[in-house]
Amino acid sequence: MTFTDLPAVIEEARYRCSETGRPFTVVQRNTGDMKVLAEQWVMRKQMRVMYSTRHDRVHTVLPGVK
C-alpha cells in the first residue's frame, strides 16, 4: 500500500507495529509516494528511512501526530 499523506502513513506504521510487535519504517520512493516496510528488510536494502517506530516513544516527526 502506498501513501501520499505523512500522518496517514505514520498511523499505518504504528498500527502494524502494535499488531506484530516488530518495528516498521516509512520510506519515500522515487515517485514521491511513501510506503510502510518492515525495518529488517529496509536495513538489508540500505534504504533511506523517513520514520521508524523503533524510537516512537522518544520523538515524533510532526508535533500534531501523536
Side-chain angles (χ1 to χ4, degrees):
M1 186 186 297
T2 59
F3 296 87
T4 56
D5 186 34
L6 187 58
V9 75
I10 290 173
E11 181 180 340
E12 178 67 20
R14 287 176 173 166
Y15 172 75
R16 290 186 188 182
C17 181
S18 69
E19 289 293 311
T20 63
R22 296 181 178 159
F24 281 83
T25 58
V26 175
V27 294
Q28 188 170 18
R29 300 170 59 188
N30 292 339
T31 57
D33 54 348
M34 296 168 280
K35 194 165 188 163
V36 177
L37 300 171
E39 186 179 72
Q40 183 181 18
W41 188 86
V42 171
M43 294 305 163
R44 268 191 267 141
K45 298 290 184 179
Q46 297 179 352
M47 301 174 83
R48 292 188 180 180
V49 176
M50 291 182 63
Y51 179 81
S52 175
T53 58
R54 177 177 296 278
H55 304 292
D56 200 25
R57 295 183 187 140
V58 179
H59 67 292
T60 183
V61 174
L62 301 173
V65 180
K66 300 211 177 208

